[in-house]
Amino acid sequence: MTGAVVRRSTGTLWRSCGARVLLLPRHGDNVITLAGPAAIMWQALTVPTAVDDVRARLAAALDVQDDADLGPRVEELLRFLTEHGAVDVVAA
Amino acid sequence: MRDTGLPRPPSLTALESIAAHGLPGALVDGFSGGPLDARNWGRLLRDCGAQGLTGLLAAAVHDGVMPVTPSQAEDVYEAETEAAMTGLRLERLLLDVVGLLEGAGIQVIVLKGPAVAHLDYPNPSLRYFGDIDLLVGSERFDQAISVLGAAPYSRQLPEVGPGFDARFNKCATFTTPDGLEIDLHRTFALGPIGIRIDTDVLMRTPATFTLGDRQLSALDAESRLLHACYSAVTGQPLFRLSTVRDIAQMLLFNDLDHARLLALAEAEGGQHAVAHAVAGAWDALRLSDCLYLSAWAQQYPFTRKERWELDLYVRDDMSFLALSLATLRSLPLRERLTYLRMLARPHAELRHKRRSTVRRMTSALRELREIDERISSR
């Protein structure tokens, strides 16, 4: 997904519960719970954002190095959310 | 919830504190005694669910205001997750139902839970709900019932008689195959208070909110407060704490046109309901802030007829027939006979199996006479 621009799917319903975010994609049957870094990432996806920027913002929020480890984990989560219809890729 | 001088269970004081969490001027302090013991905690958790306060309970814990043990924190986590998941599923259903009705050209207004959560609270997670409530104008009510009936939703009770829904009914309740509930309203309450409400007027100036990828219509701010007041004094249970909190939330945080609110209430003969509800909310949440409307409510001069109308809703076992008979006086003369005929011979499924119409009517009249006696004895 490197280089892609992503954002929350507008049809996804969600609730912020303390430090967690619960999502119900428009056409999914299961509620997805995001916690910790994943919940922070969801907040960053309000507007179309480049995957690289998502990673950088997450690193800043967590106060960790934006290193080779973080990238694949962010991409894996974004891929999961995209597959479940919670996130849209708006530019490849 | 007036102070009786008797010791109050800690769970009850905590419940009131939760209902008032985040409100300016709330005097109740139910959190200063440390975490509740297991018995009171269990009761509190149950009551929060029943009173629609799970979101505020979680907020009080997240904000560090309410002391809890680690195991109680776990309970809150689970209760909040459950409430949030139900809320999301209900919102999905709401989008589906509004889509169906609007697709048929029917104007729909979202009432109560979802509308209030998104329009009146800073975070919808503070206000969970257990069903969805929609308002449709009287002229399209029958059509709306047909649309939902054609979808995979089943109506819980049949129409009392042909024509009853569109003219006299409060709402028709539908259930989805997975047990979620949809209340399709024509008005806000059974009985004389409800029959006088002209919802078409209230639907003319909708507010909007976004849910998922749709914009939905709700009542405007004054009409939402009006509806919350009607719910507080006519709903079961009376003065449900989530509704009481809604009233306080709207009055303390929304920029309301009080004159317009009172004009709307006066036009519907509902000023007594507003006064009773606002005074009750201020009392239940022990709010010290004095607003124009709270001061007005405290001094409202209830007439005997108004007290009688409000008393109709005090008994939770008041029969549908008694409430319906109480409505008669508020109907135009030409409609009273039609109304009585429908009540006397309702749909077969609604007929009482062992009691004749005369016995049911006699019993309903006795219920109304008891209210008369109660008012007279005051």
Side-chain angles (χ1 to χ4, degrees), chain B residues 70-71 75 81 124 137 152 188 207 216 232 296 303 325 364:
Chain B
S71 127
D75 290 342
T81 305
F188 300 151
L216 303 177
W296 169 85
T303 65
L325 289 179

Side-chain angles (χ1 to χ4, degrees), chain A:
Chain A
M1 296 185 89
T2 312
V5 175
V6 291
R7 65 165 294 168
R8 294 176 190 166
S9 167
T10 52
T12 298
L13 302 171
W14 62 279
R15 276 285 185 289
S16 153
C17 298
R20 294 172 294 154
V21 175
L22 274 66
L23 314 176
L24 182 61
R26 185 75 182 105
H27 300 291
D29 287 329
N30 297 319
V31 174
I32 299 166
T33 302
L34 304 179
I40 295 171
M41 200 179 80
W42 180 255
Q43 306 300 340
L45 296 174
T46 319
V47 291
T49 309
V51 172
D52 291 345
D53 289 341
V54 175
R55 200 187 61 224
R57 286 172 67 173
L58 190 60
L62 298 173
D63 198 17
V64 296
Q65 283 254 300
D66 183 4
D67 57 17
D69 272 358
L70 190 62
R73 278 151 56 192
V74 166
E75 288 197 17
E76 188 185 345
L77 180 59
L78 285 173
R79 204 169 292 118
F80 172 82
L81 292 174
T82 308
E83 282 166 11
H84 284 80
V87 164
D88 291 334
V89 177
V90 291

Side-chain angles (χ1 to χ4, degrees), chain B residues 21 29 49 168 223 228 251 297 309:
Chain B
H21 176 61
D29 175 18
F168 305 117
S223 304
L251 273 168
E309 284 189 358

Side-chain angles (χ1 to χ4, degrees), chain B residues 25-39:
Chain B
L27 296 178
V28 59
D29 175 18
F31 300 144
S32 57
L36 294 174
D37 60 35
R39 191 161 145 262

